[in-house]
Amino acid sequence: WVRTDFLQTELLAGTYNPFGGVFNSQDVIDRITTSLVRQGKSDLTMYDAQIDGKLFDMSAGPLLMAAGLEFRDESVSDVPDDQFQRGLIFGTEAVSAAAQRDNWSAFVEFSVPLHQTVELQLAARHDDYSDFGTSTNPKVALRWAPIDSFALRASWGEGFRAPSLAQIGLGPSQESEFFQDTFGCADNPAYCANTDFLIIFSGNPDLQPEESETFNIGAVWQPTDNVDLSVDLWDIEQDNKIDEVPRVFIYEQECGNQASTICVRGTPLPGDTLGALSFIRSGFVNIGSQSTRGVDLAATFTMDAGAGTLALGLDYTHLLEFEKP
């Protein structure tokens, strides 16, 4: 890696030729370069316990239950070399990261035989996270099999996805984007030229989990012992989607305000209300919701093949609708 201060010293001394390429001597190359050490570490500790079995017999069959507890403790750390952090490495940068969380979770599920042909499933899961709080998510499923070879099924449930440690703990990194400062241009013609502006991107420790609601209805048919066919219609709605804030959105919301801490400007010139645009802060946010619907088709064929079994399968998904505001 090339150190900018070492390079500057050699340029001032006239010993390094920036146009010479491979013609610079090895001892000069050695004097402008350095080695780097980067320390990255990720830890995960997990304990879990589960129990399942029959609670008691009902008229249509046994009532089954499963339950469990889980504890997770995870952390991530990424520390670039000190030379990186001091901005001494030519032409690049390194991003640091640091985040930690632990969470407890518990689940319970029941299989309830309502009739010899009807099975009801009830389930719930509760999670408690150290960094954003709790979430409880239920599920209900129903299966009706009027004959052994055919069944109808339906389910409804809620779910969530916790923000990743990278989305929470990512350190600031720099990127650039070429655009016109239209707010500044309206205030001072000197700001009208398209310019490569600095974007400082970092994680967001205040993120909330993504939440979802899912509905599924379908059928399974086994016309022979060797053939299985299924069709399912599904609908998924997700809220609090985590995404990077679009630069255009940040600009429209923040860059017309001199006092903004998101869109940072310099001191206005005399008679102006806006100073020159210095940089824009960006990161992850819970940006909105999205919904999707589709159909799944599946077919499986099995046959004996000597000492084993040959299985052929086909899965097909058709997306009916996808909406993202």
Side-chain angles (χ1 to χ4, degrees):
W1 301 89
V2 176
R3 277 264 303 245
T4 56
D5 53 343
F6 295 166
L7 176 61
Q8 185 65 36
T9 298
E10 298 300 319
L11 286 171
L12 293 175
T15 54
Y16 178 78
N17 180 4
F19 307 105
V22 296
F23 297 106
N24 285 284
S25 63
Q26 185 60 48
D27 62 325
V28 173
I29 299 299
D30 291 340
R31 289 200 298 270
I32 68 171
T33 56
T34 185
S35 297
L36 300 176
V37 176
R38 184 167 189 164
Q39 297 178 330
K41 185 178 182 182
S42 175
D43 287 306
L44 171 63
T45 303
M46 183 175 70
Y47 304 94
D48 69 277
Q50 301 179 23
I51 186 172
D52 63 83
K54 181 177 73 173
L55 288 182
F56 53 83
D57 289 314
M58 300 177 62
S59 58
L63 174 66
L64 305 178
M65 184 198 77
L69 294 171
E70 182 181 280
F71 173 76
R72 293 166 58 94
D73 185 14
E74 54 185 325
S75 63
V76 62
S77 173
D78 188 4
V79 183
D81 191 282
D82 177 67
Q83 299 170 97
F84 256 132
Q85 298 185 57
R86 288 188 287 150
L88 297 177
I89 303 304
F90 181 80
T92 186
E93 65 167 320
V95 181
S96 63
Q100 184 277 334
R101 72 153 57 112
D102 61 71
N103 81 284
W104 289 90
S105 61
F107 75 88
V108 63
E109 181 174 355
F110 298 95
S111 176
V112 185
L114 301 179
H115 185 269
Q116 290 184 347
T117 63
V118 181
E119 177 190 2
L120 173 67
Q121 290 185 351
L122 300 172
R125 179 184 176 93
H126 179 78
D127 288 84
D128 188 339
Y129 281 76
S130 61
D131 49 0
F132 67 78
T134 63
S135 179
T136 301
N137 299 277
K139 178 185 176 182
V140 179
L142 190 66
R143 184 178 186 273
W144 176 47
I147 57 176
D148 291 341
S149 61
F150 181 77
L152 295 174
R153 59 192 180 188
S155 65
W156 168 88
E158 295 180 344
F160 81 103
R161 185 186 77 85
S164 69
L165 291 183
Q167 290 171 331
I168 292 175
L170 182 69
S173 63
Q174 296 183 1
E175 56 190 42
S176 60
E177 189 170 339
F178 199 72
F179 63 91
Q180 184 188 57
D181 179 13
T182 54
F183 287 116
C185 177
D187 197 50
N188 187 327
Y191 304 144
C192 291
N194 285 351
T195 304
D196 209 13
F197 289 106
L198 178 65
I199 313 292
I200 299 180
F201 188 88
S202 58
N204 181 0
D206 298 322
L207 287 174
Q208 295 300 304
E210 298 178 347
E211 298 176 341
S212 67
E213 183 177 21
T214 304
F215 177 75
N216 185 92
I217 185 169
V220 181
W221 182 36
Q222 188 179 27
T224 71
D225 290 340
N226 304 100
V227 178
D228 288 280
L229 305 172
S230 68
V231 57
D232 289 279
L233 173 66
W234 44 266
D235 185 293
I236 303 172
E237 174 122 9
Q238 295 174 289
D239 295 317
N240 289 334
K241 282 288 296 178
I242 298 173
D243 205 347
E244 180 178 348
V245 187
R247 193 276 304 166
V248 174
F249 179 82
I250 299 176
Y251 183 86
E252 292 296 328
Q253 296 294 314
E254 297 286 342
C255 289
N257 177 14
Q258 174 66 29
S260 173
T261 58
I262 304 298
C263 184
V264 179
R265 293 182 175 274
T267 302
L269 296 173
D272 291 347
T273 58
L274 296 176
L277 179 56
S278 298
F279 61 88
I280 297 176
R281 301 184 195 275
S282 182
F284 296 104
V285 296
N286 296 102
I287 202 165
S289 63
Q290 68 181 30
S291 61
T292 181
R293 291 189 301 115
V295 178
D296 288 343
L297 301 175
T300 304
F301 173 76
T302 60
M303 60 178 294
D304 293 331
T309 301
L310 175 67
L312 301 175
L314 173 66
D315 293 286
Y316 172 81
T317 296
H318 180 68
L319 185 65
L320 297 173
E321 183 181 70
F322 180 86
E323 293 184 353
K324 183 177 180 179

